[in-house]
């Protein structure tokens, strides 16, 4: 690693590692998950491995999407995907992909954003249990946003945030 010493320190800082010894980035992040300079004020990270009910997952993710933080919403969906029943994995994986697609689109990565929006929408196609999530509406939203992003349209993550729930939330 460029700039790393024998002890793994980078520019005089110890490497940030989780309990299993995997490297984590200690750099602060902005609302779209982009790394900021060390010492800069960033957005608090989502805690990892939080087990929530499906309703709590949707409510927390919607709060983050509305705040223009789709990267953080994706982490909430990822927790649900990893901790929930296998039967629900396609729902949470698809929603995570939509959130990452919005993240990439808002960062200006049109190709990656459109690709992930389409992949997320396709993942939702076979979902049977949606916990009040408006799947047809999200699939439409993803398709429309994907086309607009590919055509060069700028994306504001907060303004473009989808509404996850139908009347049930």
């Amino acid at each position: 690693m460029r700039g790393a010493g024998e002890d793994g320190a980078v520019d005089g800082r110890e490497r940030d590692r989780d309990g299993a010894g995997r490297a984590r980035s200690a750099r602060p992040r902005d609302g779209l998950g982009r790394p900021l300079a060390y010492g800069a004020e960033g957005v608090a990270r989502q805690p990892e491995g939080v087990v929530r009910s499906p309703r709590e997952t949707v409510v927390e993710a919607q709060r983050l999407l509305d705040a223009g933080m789709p990267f953080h919403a994706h982490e909430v969906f990822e927790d649900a995907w990893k901790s929930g029943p296998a039967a629900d994995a396609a729902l949470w994986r698809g929603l995570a992909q939509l959130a990452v697609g919005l993240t990439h689109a808002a960062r200006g990565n049109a190709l990656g954003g459109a690709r992930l929006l389409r992949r997320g929408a396709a993942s939702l196609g076979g979902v049977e249990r949606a916990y009040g999530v408006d799947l047809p509406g999200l699939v439409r939203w993803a398709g429309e946003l994907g086309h607009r992003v590919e055509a060069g349209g700028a994306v504001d993550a907060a303004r473009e945030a989808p509404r996850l729930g139908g009347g049930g939330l």
Side-chain angles (χ1 to χ4, degrees), residues 5-142:
E6 285 182 35
D7 62 357
V10 179
D11 299 328
R13 285 180 288 281
E14 284 295 318
R15 298 232 12 223
D16 183 27
R17 298 203 177 264
D18 67 13
R22 290 183 298 263
R24 295 187 304 190
S25 176
R27 290 174 65 181
R29 304 268 174 170
D30 70 6
L32 292 174
R34 292 177 289 217
L36 301 171
Y38 286 103
E41 189 171 326
V43 173
R45 289 179 177 226
Q46 279 301 113
E48 292 182 33
V50 176
V51 178
R52 299 174 182 89
S53 71
R55 178 174 170 69
E56 291 168 331
T57 296
V58 173
V59 167
E60 178 63 4
Q62 186 69 67
R63 182 187 73 76
L64 293 164
L65 289 166
D66 291 344
M69 297 172 29
F71 179 80
H72 296 75
H74 126 270
E75 291 177 327
V76 170
F77 290 133
E78 197 170 77
D79 280 342
W81 168 14
K82 292 178 179 178
S83 68
D88 294 340
L91 169 66
W92 303 125
R93 182 179 57 246
L95 293 173
Q97 290 169 329
L98 293 181
V100 173
L102 177 56
T103 299
H104 281 283
R107 289 177 176 176
N109 176 0
L111 180 61
R115 190 173 287 159
L116 279 161
L117 288 165
R118 285 194 185 90
R119 188 178 303 152
S123 292
L124 297 175
V127 169
E128 293 179 21
R129 187 168 46 184
Y131 300 105
V133 174
D134 177 13
L135 298 181
L138 285 174
V139 169
R140 271 191 310 280
W141 167 84

